[in-house]
Amino acid sequence: MPIKNKVYNANIDTINHLGYGVCRIDGMVCFVKGGVTGDFLEVKVIKVNKNYCIGKVENIITASSHRSEQSCPVYKRCGGCCFRHISYAHELELKKSFVEAEFKKARLDTKVNDVISAGNITRYRNKAQYPVNFENKIGFYAEKTHDVCENADCSLQPEIFGHITNVIKAYLDKYNIKGYNEETGEGLLRHVYIRQGKVTGEIQVCLVINGNTLPRSDELVNELKKIKNIVSICININTKNTNVILGEKYVTLFGKEYIEDELCGFRFRISPASFYQINHDCAELLYNKVYELVTKAKCDRVTDLYCGTGTIGLCVAGRLKNCKLTGVEIVPEAIENAKTNAKINGIENAEFICADSTDTQNNVLKNSDVVILDPPRKGITQELAKKITESGVENIVYVSCSPDTLARDIKQFAELGYKCEEATPFDMFPRTSHIENVVRLYRK
Ligand code: SAH
């Protein structure tokens, strides 16, 4: 049993999905923040639990060749990029192994392919939601806390986002407008939400406020308007005592109510309430894979559940003659966008329904040659899996941002008679712990 505060020599065997080095100390698993596969370290044990302990790097005796330079000034505090201290090649190997481990846990024999990456490991995000605290710090929550770690220029975001937050901070300070205090519920500005279209460059700035109006908003709009590409400025009203970032109501202060972007050669309109893939280049690779899997079998009728603004379904249907598309999505603004997006792209044979995917009408499913699923992290309901099966759907293409719920759902579909031979991971979120996957499930 390891002893707290004692220093041990240890080899780091691997890194877990939270970015901690994993080793064994006196027979017990130890998680070491900053430890890298192949390191030989002096590890100080700082906490001993029942089945594992936590250690910290006291000294690097021999450094692993997987180590890489950390370029970010707030890397340690912020915690958003848990793989910034290792080579990207090793990160991709690890991510593949995480997916394999989830499948193994669920006793699936689905093969995991090598992780596909668009190669862009900095500036790949097109969206940021920066919390603002009562000291008017704008940044990200430091790891495991709600302390705002100020970092105007996060290297995962477009550089311009840092400039925009600086302009907003100057405005807050100038007019003595306060950021939000989560404890007291006082203060006005809760979050700065920015999104930029990768192809179009269009930027939308949305200020999430704990109130109904933004004082001196004209002054802020005038300053922001000077920044190239800002086509939309709005406020979102969220006066609830909640961790949910966005409230229901948006008010446009300047320009359009949305931005547009292009994916796989199609144009998309995106409202601030609508989901949009955060890594444009990787999303295109992912959507191409979905197209490849959808077209492996008959696909005259495609149903896209959790369709957001219709992007996946339209990228499929737009390339197929005689394909009828039905999209289902729970957010009304996203469904409005999806309908417009079908029109903008001249795709006539598409309909979009605002509903919970689990409530998709049986006749829609019965007529589907293939169902595309792209749920949030919690995956799909048992009820939906049963409904799809009972409707006789032979082919499913499942896009997932959470390997554990994907494994659970594949298992469930396996019990209902579907095969899933392989999974392809996509590194939609380089340097962070998240990984996306696409699989095809089929039955005869
Ligand atoms: N396929 C889209 C969106 C994927 S994100 C794209 O690639 O852009 C998941 C989407 O599921 C979000 O748009 C979210 O609003 C929606 N959603 C969440 N729960 C849902 C439910 N129960 N029924 C239908 N849609 C849901």
Side-chain angles (χ1 to χ4, degrees):
M1 187 91 159
I3 298 162
K4 191 176 161 177
N5 290 329
K6 197 173 156 182
V7 176
Y8 297 81
N9 285 353
N11 280 306
I12 301 293
D13 303 321
T14 187
I15 296 178
N16 75 3
H17 70 288
L18 300 172
Y20 286 68
V22 185
C23 61
R24 285 204 160 257
I25 291 180
D26 268 0
M28 189 179 244
V29 171
C30 182
F31 299 110
V32 186
K33 189 163 181 187
V36 176
T37 319
D39 275 345
F40 184 52
L41 304 175
E42 279 178 5
V43 173
K44 182 172 183 178
V45 172
I46 53 174
K47 196 169 175 197
V48 182
N49 290 328
K50 203 168 148 220
N51 299 317
Y52 67 93
C53 60
I54 305 283
K56 102 182 219 294
V57 180
E58 194 73 358
N59 180 31
I60 301 177
I61 302 168
T62 317
S64 162
S65 59
H66 295 307
R67 284 188 169 270
S68 92
E69 280 300 305
Q70 312 158 10
S71 46
C72 174
V74 297
Y75 158 71
K76 282 200 171 137
R77 268 198 75 213
C78 165
C81 292
C82 68
F83 297 121
R84 186 162 287 283
H85 60 307
I86 64 171
S87 71
Y88 187 51
H90 188 46
E91 177 182 335
L92 293 178
E93 284 168 1
L94 288 167
K95 284 181 166 169
K96 178 178 175 180
S97 75
F98 301 152
V99 182
E100 286 172 332
E102 288 300 340
F103 286 4
K104 199 170 162 202
K105 239 198 276 172
R107 298 176 190 225
L108 293 172
D109 55 8
T110 304
K111 174 182 174 256
V112 180
N113 294 327
D114 285 344
V115 180
I116 291 179
S117 163
N120 48 349
I121 64 170
T122 58
R123 313 282 177 205
Y124 64 79
R125 289 188 56 98
N126 57 25
K127 170 187 167 181
Q129 288 175 318
Y130 301 92
V132 185
N133 76 359
F134 52 92
E135 293 168 311
N136 290 352
K137 281 189 183 166
I138 306 179
F140 292 108
Y141 291 132
E143 196 177 5
K144 293 179 191 150
T145 72
H146 271 204
D147 299 339
V148 174
C149 172
E150 217 167 15
N151 184 26
D153 185 27
C154 165
S155 67
L156 300 188
Q157 310 291 350
E159 250 175 296
I160 191 77
F161 285 17
H163 180 54
I164 293 169
T165 55
N166 285 339
V167 168
I168 294 171
K169 187 172 164 50
Y171 149 84
L172 293 176
D173 292 344
K174 182 168 174 193
Y175 296 112
N176 197 23
I177 297 165
K178 288 278 166 258
Y180 186 63
N181 185 331
E182 286 183 315
E183 268 152 43
T184 62
E186 287 163 359
L188 186 67
L189 185 58
R190 299 176 72 131
H191 276 85
V192 175
Y193 167 21
I194 314 173
R195 193 133 80 170
Q196 179 172 37
K198 170 88 193 266
V199 176
T200 60
E202 291 187 354
I203 298 172
Q204 177 170 63
V205 179
C206 177
L207 292 102
V208 184
I209 58 170
N210 174 37
N212 292 310
T213 53
L214 192 64
R216 316 293 285 256
S217 63
D218 288 355
E219 312 272 336
L220 177 64
V221 167
N222 282 337
E223 284 307 308
L224 288 175
K225 261 165 48 182
K226 292 180 194 158
I227 298 172
K228 196 177 151 221
N229 283 333
I230 293 188
V231 298
S232 169
I233 303 171
C234 63
I235 52 173
N236 171 272
I237 295 169
N238 184 1
T239 53
K240 289 194 188 143
N241 176 13
T242 167
N243 274 338
V244 178
I245 296 177
L246 297 170
E248 270 162 29
K249 195 173 166 202
Y250 294 86
V251 181
T252 304
L253 302 178
F254 164 76
K256 308 192 281 189
E257 288 169 10
Y258 53 82
I259 56 166
E260 289 188 5
D261 199 18
E262 284 172 23
L263 272 172
C264 303
F266 297 95
R267 189 146 181 119
F268 294 100
R269 182 170 293 188
I270 312 138
S271 295
S274 304
F275 176 90
Y276 185 56
Q277 298 287 350
I278 59 100
N279 182 338
H280 174 275
D281 295 358
C282 193
E284 287 191 328
L285 299 177
L286 175 84
Y287 285 12
N288 286 338
K289 182 73 185 180
V290 172
Y291 179 79
E292 177 198 317
L293 297 179
V294 166
T295 52
K296 268 189 189 279
K298 186 170 176 242
C299 48
D300 293 342
R301 285 175 172 262
V302 174
T303 298
D304 182 12
L305 302 185
Y306 308 90
C307 71
T309 62
T311 46
I312 295 188
L314 291 169
C315 285
V316 170
R319 289 190 237 178
L320 296 171
K321 268 191 194 152
N322 306 322
C323 172
K324 182 170 183 327
L325 170 70
T326 304
V328 179
E329 157 67 45
I330 208 161
V331 172
E333 290 93 334
I335 283 293
E336 282 312 306
N337 289 157
K339 288 178 181 166
T340 309
N341 290 335
K343 271 198 205 117
I344 299 177
N345 293 290
I347 300 168
E348 283 168 9
N349 235 343
E351 59 165 5
F352 291 94
I353 302 165
C354 188
D356 187 320
S357 289
T358 301
D359 299 332
T360 307
Q361 290 162 325
N362 285 325
N363 66 329
V364 170
L365 294 174
K366 274 207 176 82
N367 287 323
S368 305
D369 297 316
V370 49
V371 170
I372 299 168
L373 299 169
D374 185 9
R377 271 183 223 160
K378 66 179 179 211
I380 66 163
T381 59
Q382 273 189 346
E383 200 185 332
L384 178 58
K386 283 206 185 107
K387 238 172 140 171
I388 291 172
T389 311
E390 281 159 13
S391 303
V393 175
E394 287 187 359
N395 291 293
I396 299 165
V397 176
Y398 191 147
V399 180
S400 160
C401 54
S402 173
D404 57 337
T405 57
L406 176 64
R408 181 201 67 200
D409 291 345
I410 295 176
K411 184 82 187 163
Q412 160 136 296
F413 276 119
E415 283 158 9
L416 293 166
Y418 290 85
K419 271 195 193 169
C420 178
E421 279 157 8
E422 56 174 37
T424 307
F426 285 81
D427 196 21
M428 196 69 95
F429 316 98
R431 315 272 80 182
T432 79
S433 62
H434 303 284
I435 182 88
E436 191 96 2
N437 277 280
V438 188
V439 302
R440 171 172 178 252
L441 298 133
Y442 65 96
R443 64 170 194 181
K444 288 270 141 55

